Amino acid sequence: MATSTNGARGAQRWKEMSKPEVGDWRVKGGLAQMLKGGVIMDVVTPDQAKIAEDAGAVSVMALERVPSDIRRDGGVARMSDPDLISGIIDAVSIPVMAKARIGHFVEAQILESLGVDYCDESEVLTPADNEYHIDKWQYKMPYVCGARNIGEALRRIGEGAAMIRTKGEAGTGDIVHAVTHARQILADIRTIQNAPTEELMSLARDYQAPYELVVEVARTGKLPVVNFAAGGIATPADAALLMQIGVEGVFVGSGIFKSSNPAKMADAIVRATTHFNDPDMLAEISRGLGDAMPGIEANKIPEDEQLQTRGW
Amino acid sequence: MRPRIGVLALQGDFAEHIQMLDMIGIDSIEVRKVQQLSEIDGLIIPGGESTTIVKLLHMFDFVDDLKSHVESGMALWGTCAGMIVIARELADPYPTPLNLIDIGVARNYFGRQVDSFEAELKIKGIEGDPMRAVFIRAPIVQDTGDDIETLATVPATGDHPEQAVAVKSGRVLATSFHPELTQDTRLHSLFVKLAEDARIDENRTNAKRRLTEETASKV
């Protein structure tokens, strides 16, 4: 660690000399590119963070409670204690993410000050603002945000998000909504891609999305940032399902440390995310993992108790 | 004959490398299984998380074969995490690198993500303007063995010596930064030349045949 800190100081002057752009768009989105094909795991202690790193996680999400406990406990869920986040940052060499409440830009400022590598402006925490999300362009720290459809994804990107994830119902262990959102976003992209150019402005109006970003999607056939799945992933097969549908990597929240053998489950989900297209391999990977997390059927949760409807 | 290039597709930004190769008219394959190493003249290990990539290389039995292929003359290029993976040793406790090029490397040398940056970089062997180099939680080369050629450095600052961010040894190339995140294909063209050399190298051809048989007998 000492080497890196000294190096950072020495490099600072060189960076000033050669006039580079720090924390710009390519560098922010670039880190998400590096996470592709990987698994990002929720952890609540430095020990869990080590287990995740050893299992091959590309990043960890530092939290006080995993989503299934937040759901069970109720009450207001906020940013985690900086002590907890710093403890996890010190414990691992992989990038560390942390959550701020929707619209709570001061929690975000605090996370940036702690050196968090990616901020999740997350519906899993209780929203701080019913109207506005954070202006994410104001930070060197990149952001990941949840989305259920192309409009929501492009609005978040318009606000500066450098990575998108689905908003599957967190803490349920039920994959159904992550699948719905991933399919919806990909279907919307196909609609945009197949539309003649004169229809793009009307599509932008219908999706409530920035026109320039709709044009960009029409040109490239994909989101302008990396697109992961999140919410309800509990088994290697769940991870592979989302990868085959077309996301670029997965977040696993409660699914690892609420299973009966977390180290084994973590390892298996990492393998499955790499070999998502190989059924023989997936069969091997899925053997003898113990119990997956106990789940709640997400379709039975009334809409006003769903987390995914937070934000717009 | 154009060389065949593989991009290690266990984790990371392999799709971007494939796209860059496509831009210069080179078809490449995603390498997920060790047997595929016998089909290629050069392998790119992309950016990603080095701890994850090393772990997956061990999980899927790549380590010994990869070493044999590189020793037999296969071209190899590691970018960022890829550089960490192929180094001789690291200043950090994790991961254990594969020792495919004689360099010592420090991870996250420039700091955390908020310190990631871009800069102009003059690279030996690359004609014309400097390249736009994207450094993301980037590593640095802290020491180099005798047969290492340094292609680019960051200048000395304060109490810190000049240090390498791009090096080459035979057909093995390592860079701290991510040319695959730009539209500049000049380093990819340089790597294709190394793979061309590998393709016409008889030692490599013989070794490929032998390694294919050995791998088949293991499976």
Side-chain angles (χ1 to χ4, degrees), chain A residues 3-4 6 8 10-11 14-15 20-21 26-27 33-34 36 54 56-58 93 115 117 267 274-275 278, chain B residues 10-13 16 33 48-49 52 55 59-60 107 109-110 112-113 115-116 118 132 137 142 155 157 160:
Chain A
T3 321
S4 304
N6 292 338
W14 170 62
K15 283 160 52 175
E21 300 152 29
R26 184 153 52 185
V27 161
Q33 301 286 348
M34 300 312 137
K36 284 195 301 194
D54 289 345
V58 290
S93 63
D117 296 299
D267 178 277
T274 293
H275 286 288
D278 186 333
Chain B
L10 298 178
Q11 192 272 317
D13 71 337
E16 281 62 31
K33 292 193 167 163
E49 267 310 307
T52 306
K55 160 117 188 162
M59 259 185 198
F60 301 121
R107 295 176 65 194
Y109 175 79
F110 300 98
R112 302 193 67 83
Q113 173 61 19
D115 305 303
S116 293
E118 293 184 15
R132 189 80 187 158
R137 288 169 50 93
Q142 285 196 311
T157 47
H160 289 270

Side-chain angles (χ1 to χ4, degrees), chain A residues 202-248:
Chain A
S202 299
L203 281 175
R205 177 200 59 201
D206 297 345
Y207 291 135
Q208 299 179 38
Y211 171 69
E212 290 73 15
L213 292 177
V214 172
V215 172
E216 169 88 1
V217 170
R219 191 176 62 80
T220 62
K222 57 191 189 69
L223 284 182
V225 302
V226 169
N227 181 22
F228 269 47
I233 294 164
T235 67
D238 287 350
L241 172 68
L242 266 316
M243 291 294 289
Q244 285 196 30
I245 286 173
V247 302
E248 298 175 290

Side-chain angles (χ1 to χ4, degrees), chain A residues 41 51-52 55 256-257 259-269, chain B residues 55:
Chain A
M41 302 182 191
I51 291 172
I256 287 173
F257 290 98
S259 70
S260 64
N261 189 340
K264 210 166 172 184
M265 185 62 83
D267 178 277
I269 293 179
Chain B
K55 160 117 188 162

Side-chain angles (χ1 to χ4, degrees), chain B residues 158-196:
Chain B
D159 49 346
H160 289 270
E162 183 177 10
Q163 284 182 312
V165 290
V167 292
K168 179 172 167 292
S169 169
R171 292 181 198 139
V172 183
L173 193 62
T175 54
S176 300
F177 49 93
H178 296 280
E180 76 277 14
L181 293 183
T182 69
Q183 300 293 306
D184 191 336
T185 53
R186 287 177 291 172
L187 264 171
H188 284 81
S189 297
L190 189 144
F191 181 68
V192 168
K193 287 213 180 70
L194 298 177
E196 271 166 8

Side-chain angles (χ1 to χ4, degrees), chain B residues 115-156:
Chain B
D115 305 303
S116 293
F117 64 99
E118 293 184 15
E120 303 288 320
L121 202 63
K122 189 73 199 144
I123 299 165
K124 201 168 143 192
I126 301 288
E127 302 291 326
D129 294 337
M131 285 185 74
R132 189 80 187 158
V134 185
F135 292 85
I136 297 175
R137 288 169 50 93
I140 204 151
V141 179
Q142 285 196 311
D143 67 89
T144 53
D146 293 338
D147 64 342
I148 299 290
E149 185 186 0
T150 297
L151 303 182
T153 58
V154 297

Side-chain angles (χ1 to χ4, degrees), chain B residues 11-64:
Chain B
Q11 192 272 317
D13 71 337
F14 49 87
E16 281 62 31
H17 276 293
I18 290 169
Q19 224 166 35
M20 293 294 274
L21 292 166
D22 198 42
M23 281 164 64
I24 52 173
I26 300 287
D27 285 333
S28 52
I29 59 168
E30 293 182 6
V31 174
R32 286 198 171 81
K33 292 193 167 163
V34 65
Q35 296 89 315
Q36 293 172 292
L37 295 178
S38 295
E39 301 166 20
I40 56 175
D41 307 303
L43 178 73
I44 298 177
I45 303 185
E49 267 310 307
S50 56
T51 48
T52 306
I53 295 175
V54 168
K55 160 117 188 162
L56 291 168
L57 284 168
H58 281 282
M59 259 185 198
F60 301 121
D61 293 326
F62 269 87
V63 177
D64 294 341

